[in-house]
Amino acid sequence: MKVIIVGGVAGGATAAARIRRLDEQAQITVFERSGYISYANCGLPYYIGDVITDPEELTLQTPESFWERFRVDMRVRHEVTAIHPDRKTVSVKDLKTGREFEESYDKLILSPGAKPTQPRLPGLGLDQLFTLRTVEDTFRIKEYIDTHHPKSVILAGGGFIGLEVAENLRELGMDVTIVQRPKQLMNPFDAEMASFIHNEMRKHGVRLELGYTVEGFEEKDGGVDVLLKDRTPLHADMVVLAIGVTPDTGLAKEAGLELGIKGSIIVNDRMETSIPDIYAAGDAVQVKHYVTGEDALISLAGPANKQGRIIADNICGGDSRYQGSQGSSVVKVFDMTAAATGVNETNARKAGMDVDKVILSPMSHAGYYPGGRLMTMKVVFEKETYRLLGAQIIGYEGVDKRIDVLATAIHAGLKATQLKDLDLAYAPPYSSAKDPVNMAGFMIDNIAGGILRQWHLEDLEGLPRDGSVTLLDARTPWEYAGGHIDGFVNIPVDELRERLSEIAAGKPVYVICQSGLRSYIASRILENASYEAYNFSGGYRFYAAVTEDRALIEEAYACGMDK
């Protein structure tokens, strides 16, 4: 069996190694147009920022090491220029020598990945304008910084790459600005959760210009002007485009393969394309979202590696199936960690789901053990069925392990109420006897049992201020004096039983505290005294962070539009 693989890195290299492990006789050739066949894409920004100092650390395998271990013919700087399904060959160009030739295959695997999205804008060819996809791109950026010592950079785009590059360039001492059309960074997160990311970026001196459309670039004063719609240009010494990625599927289109979202390659659950004996994996393929069942593009290394393995199994006579992508991800944001899995509330509602959520602020480990830090968790679930849909966590230590527990629970089909039953490891330096994941489950179980009724930030504007409801802040007078929502009266939770006469009977009571715990206790006191009580999800800490961020975004946007 002769297997041709177009593209290395995650999907292609994984498929090649797996095929060899299953079939010692297979003839396997990988054509990779860059100079590297297996490298750490996710580590590229950290090389630019001098966190990774040895460029060889970025290379996971070389053509020589792959041949020695697996007897796979890895041909770098070879570009496949056409696919001929009718005669089962590919056209290849040796980029070193210019020689062109055809190579036959029995099975063909496409793993071309995705390329940085580059809309047709004026000025894209400027020397000070960069994209980041390959090791070569990384070296170009690094060489430019080391040679020209730029003092400022504008990043167009605020996704994973944008945040990682922003952090690393800021750590080098550069003035960093992120500009993009949406008014939030990191689309996997709901807007209110992204507020915590925004606040961390600002804390470290990153300037956020959100809500602006980039219309082009002009060279000026040795640097670049970024042209924005309805706003004066922004100027910097260099610009990095990080506005997303687009499936790199020109070959597939020309070969007649069926295409889907943004020109991605349509595959079935065996990773087979519409043409027999051609498979595809990685960022170039359209997949099913594991939670919603909808078609999706999810550009992450984990799914690409799994898909490469599945292809290898099926080529070698097995029957492996890809169950869909869940979108589990984690990113370092200076001192914080932000992680998400499944579907967020925004996209769940767009998919027509009837959803609810809990927002909580647990400690990373036992409060009496030194060093614990707060994290903010949002868990999204389906009403009535309590199907677990997704989660987002932003904090410091322990974020990654909680998101992995929640990702596993979603994959296993657990209901959100069952999170309370998970038997998770506990020791004071690592967790609490009631782990944050358990705490989310307790809250959702209370909702299911009618013990907890919630109100959310989006409900605030609609709360009547005509006396028909009671607005209650259950924090201490000291906390209340430090900031509160207008119209909320202060009765500390520990005084509430003795002061129930101050709360009008027969009216709903909307309660808030710092994190949601004391207001929940206050709600239970009220409910047991025959009041109808609603607890604010997230607490005043959450309210303050989100409203402050939104005010800063709108203020910056208004100032920019006035210029």
Side-chain angles (χ1 to χ4, degrees), residues 402-516:
R402 270 67 185 222
I403 207 69
D404 283 343
V405 170
L406 289 160
T408 303
I410 292 171
H411 188 82
L414 295 186
K415 290 185 177 182
T417 51
Q418 292 179 285
L419 296 176
K420 73 182 190 305
D421 302 319
L422 295 179
D423 192 352
L424 303 174
Y426 160 60
Y430 303 106
S431 184
S432 299
K434 299 175 184 176
D435 188 85
V437 174
N438 295 138
M439 290 301 300
F442 293 144
M443 293 172 66
I444 297 167
D445 187 61
N446 282 339
I447 293 172
I451 296 172
L452 171 62
R453 287 186 278 203
Q454 298 187 108
W455 67 282
H456 302 287
L457 183 58
E458 59 267 26
D459 301 323
L460 178 60
E461 188 175 342
L463 288 182
R465 304 303 177 103
D466 58 2
S468 60
V469 303
T470 299
L471 307 178
L472 177 63
D473 191 319
R475 296 177 297 159
T476 65
W478 177 81
E479 289 172 306
Y480 182 83
H484 60 270
I485 303 174
D486 290 342
F488 278 73
V489 297
N490 181 218
I491 302 178
V493 63
D494 294 338
E495 301 175 15
L496 182 58
R497 291 179 181 87
E498 290 73 34
R499 298 175 62 179
L500 284 173
S501 60
E502 299 176 31
I503 301 175
K507 296 179 181 180
V509 186
Y510 290 81
V511 195
I512 190 171
C513 73
Q514 191 69 9
S515 69

Side-chain angles (χ1 to χ4, degrees), residues 126-142:
L126 296 178
D127 291 340
Q128 305 93 330
L129 189 63
F130 300 89
T131 59
L132 180 57
R133 180 198 184 192
T134 66
V135 174
E136 289 91 343
D137 293 337
T138 307
F139 291 160
R140 278 192 290 271
I141 294 173
K142 182 67 172 169

Side-chain angles (χ1 to χ4, degrees), residues 5-249:
I5 302 175
V6 181
V9 197
T14 296
R18 177 70 172 173
I19 292 169
R20 174 58 72 227
R21 288 193 291 269
L22 297 177
D23 185 348
E24 191 63 27
Q25 306 306 315
Q27 181 183 343
I28 310 167
T29 303
V30 178
F31 293 116
E32 168 59 49
R33 66 185 168 198
S34 78
Y36 300 84
I37 53 93
S38 182
Y39 56 87
N41 290 67
C42 301
L44 301 183
Y46 297 98
Y47 176 72
I48 294 171
D50 285 338
V51 177
I52 299 170
T53 55
D54 184 353
E56 292 188 3
E57 293 292 332
L58 298 172
T59 305
L60 305 179
Q61 292 278 359
T62 65
E64 294 76 19
S65 68
F66 228 97
W67 175 259
E68 290 172 2
R69 178 64 55 85
F70 298 110
R71 297 300 189 268
V72 170
D73 184 6
M74 289 282 189
R75 303 192 197 180
V76 296
R77 304 198 191 283
H78 279 69
E79 181 176 9
V80 173
T81 57
I83 302 169
H84 312 289
D86 54 337
R87 57 181 185 268
K88 299 185 76 169
T89 65
V90 295
S91 296
V92 186
K93 182 176 182 179
D94 185 334
L95 299 179
K96 288 182 180 178
T97 66
R99 182 175 74 93
E100 297 185 19
F101 59 94
E102 277 197 16
E103 193 78 33
S104 64
Y105 65 83
D106 297 311
K107 305 289 183 181
L108 176 65
I109 303 173
L110 302 180
S111 181
K115 56 189 176 183
T117 301
Q118 290 193 14
R120 295 179 181 176
L121 297 174
L124 280 181
L126 296 178
D127 291 340
Q128 305 93 330
L129 189 63
F130 300 89
T131 59
L132 180 57
R133 180 198 184 192
T134 66
V135 174
E136 289 91 343
D137 293 337
T138 307
F139 291 160
R140 278 192 290 271
I141 294 173
K142 182 67 172 169
E143 182 182 3
Y144 186 85
I145 292 172
D146 291 345
T147 302
H148 296 87
H149 307 291
K151 292 182 170 55
S152 59
V153 59
I154 293 173
L155 301 171
F160 289 98
I161 292 294
L163 261 64
E164 290 169 345
V165 173
E167 176 181 345
N168 280 278
L169 294 184
R170 186 72 189 124
E171 295 289 1
L172 291 178
M174 295 176 65
D175 291 331
V176 178
T177 300
I178 297 177
V179 58
Q180 68 168 16
R181 183 163 48 194
K183 286 190 176 181
Q184 74 162 84
L185 304 176
M186 295 297 293
N187 285 334
F189 294 82
D190 288 312
E192 73 272 23
M193 293 296 288
S195 295
F196 292 90
I197 298 174
H198 298 170
N199 293 337
E200 183 72 4
M201 299 296 282
R202 294 191 190 99
K203 174 183 171 183
H204 286 86
V206 176
R207 178 182 172 192
L208 303 182
E209 296 284 354
L210 307 178
Y212 295 108
T213 301
V214 176
E215 294 193 320
F217 309 91
E218 287 183 357
E219 188 171 4
K220 187 175 181 181
D221 300 331
V224 183
D225 270 3
V226 178
L227 309 179
L228 305 175
K229 184 178 181 181
D230 299 325
R231 191 204 190 285
T232 53
L234 298 174
H235 183 80
D237 295 333
M238 63 181 291
V239 172
V240 178
L241 282 180
I243 57 178
V245 294
T246 303
D248 192 357
T249 54

Side-chain angles (χ1 to χ4, degrees), residues 533-550:
Y534 296 85
N535 184 36
F536 181 70
S537 180
Y540 187 82
R541 170 182 171 271
F542 178 78
Y543 161 84
V546 176
T547 53
E548 178 185 359
D549 172 57
R550 289 178 178 174

